[in-house]
Amino acid sequence: MTDWQALREYHEMVADRPILTLFDDDRAADFSVSADGLLLDYSKTNIDAKARELLIGLLRDLPVKRDAMFSGAKINETEGRAVLHTLLRNMDSDVTVDGADATVALRETHAAMQAFARDVRGGAFKGQGGAITDVVNIGIGGSDLGPAMATIALAPYADGPRCHFVSNVDGAHIHDVLSGLNPETALVIVASKTFTTIETMTNAETAKAWMAKTVKDPAAQFAAVSTAADKTAAFGIDASRVFGFEDWVGGRYSMWGPIGLSLMLAIGPEDFDQFLAGAAAMDAHFRHAAPEDNLPVMLALVGIWHNQICGYATRAVLPYEQRLARLPAYLQQLEMESNGKRVAMDGTDLAIDSGPVVWGEPGTNGQHAFYQLIHQGTRVIPCEFLVGKEGHEPDLAHQHRLLVANCLAQSEALLRGRSLAQATAIMQKKGLEGHELERQARHRVFPGNRPSTTLCYPKLTPFVLGQIVALYEHRVFVEGVVLGINSYDQWGVELGKELALALAPMLDGAPADGKDGSTRALIGYLA
Ligand code: F6P
């Protein structure tokens, strides 16, 4: 019997039991993992010791693959690249890629970023109208989601220029961002690993034209982050303000290096280094902790249990931290672009489901929107709660307590539910009887037995955010290894890009030859 079969058979045996019955005095401790102040509680799932043992049995390839990743082997086999975003937060390692020390250039670039950030923040680097007040990061996908998410998350540490993010090719996005800014005190960062992405390059040209209306030398107020030095030069950006990185840093794993420049400008080099230190701490934990004590490993295995074994197709990420509002969007790219694949590394069809749909919103807002479905809908949606022990607003500690209470209440409600007998008793007290009592009570039943995990952290500092993001990165890696896929390419985004390039002229009147009837009709309406 394969490991997968054994897990499926075991799941069938235990699928209907109430999770609540698994609790004894030790379960909460036995089914939680901690690392450097973080605590992941997965006791409110149907995983017991046997299920965990079977899940850990899926990790046969993990130690070798993990060592291969950290040592710079080309584990991104479909692109022939190493996967070394971890080096960006551990620049003292002695990793070589193609025989060359991979860290020398990283250290130089990091120092150059720090010097530039200090100049901008301290006013030594100026715009035509004086010190830089606003930074506009133009990028998309991995060149936007990470720094945009982290800049909001770390708002209490932001003491530099205001940072804005433009990603969408929809002109409304750049229009609305630029219309509030003074071009004479703005710095534009064009962030694109390839420097060919159509959305980013189009927005960069728009920003340049906007600046050129008032500023004599607009390129002097531009910086670039890219692996393509020739293209940044062709765009007119001086090499002193170009921050490069290697192709072994994947777009969605890149905010630890120059793609994080906007974040560094916002919070300063020291706090940025704390962010890196948090991620490095998670790297060390991931490399050395035993599977059952390993936070990314257990988070991945819980995900596999819910998605591939129980068949729950989506996962809700529910941060009880308003400043993590963009975490679900960030994780959508990280998890779905990495593990949303139907072909295994060896080119064969994947025999199991690929990674789940990831979605979510901060609590408590989500409670007043979609939690209805989570509690009483027909589908089971595993929930991942995140919550901090402490907020950044000591004067509003009472609000933080209410936030935490809501988070705990939701996972308890999902676990416990409310039986028909309980609902009936409640409605009886309200004076209902007979058929109406039964009807009304049934609407108030919560099936319960719905799984969730809770990730607790002390406070959302730069260090803790680094830990959390690295935790999710490694979780994606573990899931990819277990599923046997390449988590580091993204061929699935290519076809749409190619078709868009061909479609654009058709919206200007070029013949829509070869298009299906629907697309032709839509062009007819939209052109
Ligand atoms: O289209 C997908 C993608 O390649 C992402 O993987 C990447 O993060 C994004 O586009 C942006 O790419 P670039 O940084 O090269 O502009």
Side-chain angles (χ1 to χ4, degrees):
M1 190 175 355
T2 67
D3 297 332
W4 289 106
Q5 273 170 326
L7 261 163
R8 284 203 185 97
E9 284 184 14
Y10 187 67
H11 171 247
E12 268 173 38
M13 278 169 52
V14 302
D16 294 331
R17 70 183 169 192
I19 298 169
L20 209 46
T21 60
L22 297 176
F23 276 88
D24 57 19
D25 288 350
D26 300 326
R27 181 168 171 84
D30 287 352
F31 292 83
S32 59
V33 202
S34 52
D36 301 313
L38 301 192
L39 171 76
L40 171 71
D41 176 348
Y42 64 98
S43 63
K44 292 189 179 97
T45 69
N46 196 7
I47 295 173
D48 60 10
K50 174 75 179 165
R52 179 167 59 195
E53 184 192 316
L54 290 169
L55 286 164
I56 288 174
L58 298 174
L59 300 173
R60 221 152 270 142
D61 294 339
L62 183 66
V64 170
K65 294 248 161 93
R66 181 174 49 196
D67 285 351
M69 174 173 76
F70 279 98
S71 67
K74 296 196 174 174
I75 63 164
N76 175 357
E77 293 177 20
T78 56
E79 297 182 310
R81 291 176 183 166
V83 173
L84 279 174
H85 50 278
T86 49
L87 271 195
L88 295 167
R89 51 229 193 189
N90 188 4
M91 286 174 268
D92 292 329
S93 4
D94 53 355
V95 173
T96 56
V97 178
D98 294 328
D101 184 331
T103 58
V104 181
L106 289 187
R107 283 193 293 270
E108 281 171 12
T109 306
H110 185 69
M113 280 171 69
Q114 289 183 318
F116 183 61
R118 289 195 178 107
D119 283 353
V120 172
R121 288 163 55 85
F125 177 92
K126 290 187 173 34
Q128 181 181 282
I132 298 296
T133 55
D134 295 89
V135 172
V136 181
N137 185 88
I138 298 181
I140 196 165
S143 301
D144 165 74
L145 287 162
M149 177 275 290
T151 302
I152 297 170
L154 298 179
Y157 301 86
D159 52 5
R162 290 177 292 266
C163 285
H164 313 266
F165 294 84
V166 174
S167 52
N168 203 324
V169 77
D170 182 348
H173 199 180
I174 192 151
H175 172 271
D176 289 356
V177 169
L178 296 185
S179 60
L181 305 185
N182 175 2
E184 297 188 338
T185 57
L187 169 71
V188 176
I189 302 173
V190 185
S192 174
K193 181 175 167 179
T194 55
F195 231 69
T196 58
T197 303
I198 191 88
E199 292 93 332
T200 300
M201 299 324 298
T202 307
N203 279 324
E205 291 294 351
T206 302
K208 209 189 209 179
W210 166 77
M211 207 171 259
K213 282 186 203 153
T214 6
V215 171
K216 267 199 214 97
D217 182 9
Q221 282 176 233
F222 271 65
V225 177
S226 182
T227 56
D230 52 335
K231 296 191 175 70
T232 58
F235 189 85
I237 303 176
D238 191 83
S240 63
R241 291 187 309 283
V242 175
F243 303 90
F245 57 106
E246 301 294 330
D247 70 1
W248 36 256
V249 178
R252 54 193 174 274
Y253 297 87
S254 61
M255 75 161 134
W256 314 103
I259 290 290
L261 181 60
S262 47
L263 176 65
M264 190 191 271
L265 287 163
I267 65 174
E270 290 74 24
D271 279 336
F272 190 84
D273 279 352
Q274 279 300 302
F275 176 58
L276 299 187
M282 184 54 69
D283 294 342
H285 167 79
F286 174 53
R287 291 186 84 169
H288 303 299
E292 60 276 19
D293 300 325
N294 196 309
L295 241 159
V297 167
M298 288 316 302
L299 193 60
L301 293 180
V302 172
I304 283 170
W305 171 258
H306 287 148
N307 183 24
Q308 281 78 17
I309 304 299
C310 303
Y312 306 144
T314 86
R315 171 198 298 151
V317 178
L318 307 166
Y320 276 66
E321 174 91 47
Q322 181 58 30
R323 294 193 178 105
L324 287 178
R326 293 294 286 163
L327 183 70
Y330 169 77
L331 292 180
Q332 280 175 341
Q333 188 200 20
L334 182 66
E335 303 205 16
M336 291 159 75
E337 195 166 83
S338 296
N339 287 343
K341 291 164 191 168
R342 48 171 287 285
V343 171
M345 185 71 99
D346 63 4
T348 57
D349 284 352
L350 209 63
I352 34 183
D353 280 330
S354 62
V357 176
V358 177
W359 60 283
E361 276 289 320
T364 58
N365 293 12
Q367 291 175 203
H368 298 272
F370 53 79
Y371 278 40
Q372 165 65 42
L373 182 146
I374 293 181
H375 284 290
Q376 287 191 315
T378 53
R379 293 181 187 86
V380 174
I381 297 168
C383 294
E384 283 184 10
F385 296 100
L386 293 97
V387 65
K389 185 175 159 65
E390 207 187 316
H392 283 87
E393 290 70 35
D395 297 353
L396 301 174
H398 62 293
Q399 292 200 211
H400 190 75
R401 267 197 306 283
L402 202 51
L403 178 78
V404 175
N406 269 278
C407 179
L408 299 182
Q410 291 302 322
S411 66
E412 188 187 358
L414 287 167
L415 172 72
R416 238 175 238 291
R418 179 191 283 154
S419 68
L420 183 60
Q422 289 168 323
T424 305
I426 292 169
M427 298 319 287
Q428 257 167 345
K429 278 203 190 126
K430 293 192 189 286
L432 266 59
E433 50 190 34
H435 175 66
E436 190 54 11
L437 170 62
E438 194 188 331
R439 190 169 77 93
Q440 292 289 354
R442 282 178 60 78
H443 285 280
R444 288 157 173 83
V445 170
F446 289 65
N449 211 25
R450 300 200 160 186
S452 69
T453 59
T454 304
L455 180 71
C456 302
Y457 47 88
K459 185 174 178 176
L460 193 60
T461 60
F463 186 90
V464 166
L465 184 69
Q467 287 177 293
I468 293 174
V469 176
L471 161 66
Y472 278 102
E473 287 181 345
H474 293 317
R475 177 246 199 112
V476 166
F477 171 74
V478 175
E479 286 188 357
V481 168
V482 171
L483 299 179
I485 59 183
N486 181 5
S487 300
Y488 299 102
D489 62 13
Q490 55 282 321
W491 300 112
V493 300
E494 295 303 322
L495 181 57
K497 286 187 194 172
E498 284 165 26
L499 292 177
L501 283 179
L503 270 159
M506 296 175 192
L507 290 163
D508 283 334
D513 294 343
K515 294 293 165 196
D516 59 86
S518 162
T519 306
R520 273 204 313 275
L522 294 170
I523 293 171
Y525 181 91
L526 293 165

